[in-house]
């Protein structure tokens, strides 16, 4: 039974590749049904992969091969809460080293242009610390980072 609310992501013929990468990279992720086009359509032919049902960290998604002209934007991203530096590094490099692109403050894009925030739980705890001076030091440290360095965040938190 399909979820009542599913994230639909638009791809230009690469939905199955993307879903397979996400399933291989993130825990609690899998590729489900692959639906082929019952007839020709503007971005493909009968029998081409039209839609792919998959989950990313337990979130139901649908990858639709809708064709060119509808790129992903930073207005949508997956935020992945990591438990330690090893997990942060593994996920960051899985995205970046597989054709992705680094950005600032823990953000990156995968090779399909989808934005990800690889966010250590320690970072969120630091930038939301009830002590405004602590939160500001951690925030300022984060603003200088590409991939988040938990040790540097903790050092900034301590002052």
């Amino acid at each position: 039974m399909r979820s009542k609310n599913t994230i639909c992501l638009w791809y230009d013929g690469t939905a199955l590749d993307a879903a397979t990468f996400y399933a291989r990279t993130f825990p609690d992720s899998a590729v489900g049904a692959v639906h082929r086009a019952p007839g020709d359509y503007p971005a493909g032919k009968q029998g081409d992969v039209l839609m792919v049902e998959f989950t990313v960290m337990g979130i139901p998604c649908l990858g639709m091969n809708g064709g060119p002209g509808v790129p992903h934007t930073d207005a949508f991203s997956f935020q992945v809460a990591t438990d330690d530096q090893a997990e942060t590094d593994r996920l960051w490099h899985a995205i970046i080293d597989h054709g992705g692109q680094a950005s600032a403050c823990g953000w990156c894009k995968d090779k399909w242009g989808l934005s990800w925030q690889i966010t250590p739980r320690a970072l969120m705890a630091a930038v939301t610390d009830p002590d405004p001076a602590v939160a500001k030091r951690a925030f300022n440290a984060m603003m200088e980072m590409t991939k988040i360095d938990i040790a540097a965040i903790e050092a900034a938190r301590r002052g």
Side-chain angles (χ1 to χ4, degrees), residues 7 26 56-57 59 74 76-82 91 95 105-108 114-121 123-125 127-128 142 148:
I7 294 171
F26 299 100
V56 176
M57 295 170 286
I59 298 172
D74 291 337
F76 176 88
S77 65
F78 281 105
Q79 185 180 63
V80 181
T82 57
L91 295 177
I95 292 169
C105 304
W107 287 67
C108 56
L114 187 63
S115 292
W116 296 83
Q117 299 175 60
I118 308 303
T119 309
R121 293 180 196 279
L123 172 65
M124 291 303 292
V127 299
T128 61
M142 175 200 69
I148 302 301

Side-chain angles (χ1 to χ4, degrees), residues 50-72:
L50 178 61
M51 296 179 292
V52 179
E53 295 180 38
F54 60 101
T55 57
V56 176
M57 295 170 286
I59 298 172
C61 298
L62 179 73
M64 182 172 64
N65 284 327
V70 185
H72 298 290

Side-chain angles (χ1 to χ4, degrees), residues 1-157:
M1 182 173 186
R2 287 196 63 189
S3 175
K4 190 168 184 97
N5 186 12
T6 300
I7 294 171
C8 184
L9 300 168
W10 187 292
Y11 295 90
D12 183 12
T14 58
L16 183 56
D17 292 339
T20 301
F21 172 74
Y22 305 147
R24 191 175 64 236
T25 303
F26 299 100
D28 193 24
S29 301
V31 175
V34 176
H35 304 284
R36 298 196 174 271
D40 292 350
Y41 62 109
K45 302 285 182 202
Q46 179 177 343
D48 288 352
V49 173
L50 178 61
M51 296 179 292
V52 179
E53 295 180 38
F54 60 101
T55 57
V56 176
M57 295 170 286
I59 298 172
C61 298
L62 179 73
M64 182 172 64
N65 284 327
V70 185
H72 298 290
T73 74
D74 291 337
F76 176 88
S77 65
F78 281 105
Q79 185 180 63
V80 181
T82 57
D83 292 323
D84 56 30
Q85 193 66 52
E87 183 181 22
T88 301
D89 293 349
R90 182 184 73 77
L91 295 177
W92 176 269
H93 285 290
I95 292 169
I96 299 304
D97 298 347
H98 192 260
Q101 179 181 14
S103 190
C105 304
W107 287 67
C108 56
K109 287 186 180 186
D110 65 27
K111 74 185 247 178
W112 301 278
L114 187 63
S115 292
W116 296 83
Q117 299 175 60
I118 308 303
T119 309
R121 293 180 196 279
L123 172 65
M124 291 303 292
V127 299
T128 61
D129 194 284
D131 181 334
V134 170
K136 184 171 182 172
R137 285 193 308 268
F139 181 81
N140 288 343
M142 175 200 69
M143 292 300 292
E144 299 296 318
M145 296 179 186
T146 304
K147 176 177 55 102
I148 302 301
D149 178 339
I150 296 171
I153 292 296
E154 291 296 342
R157 191 175 193 184

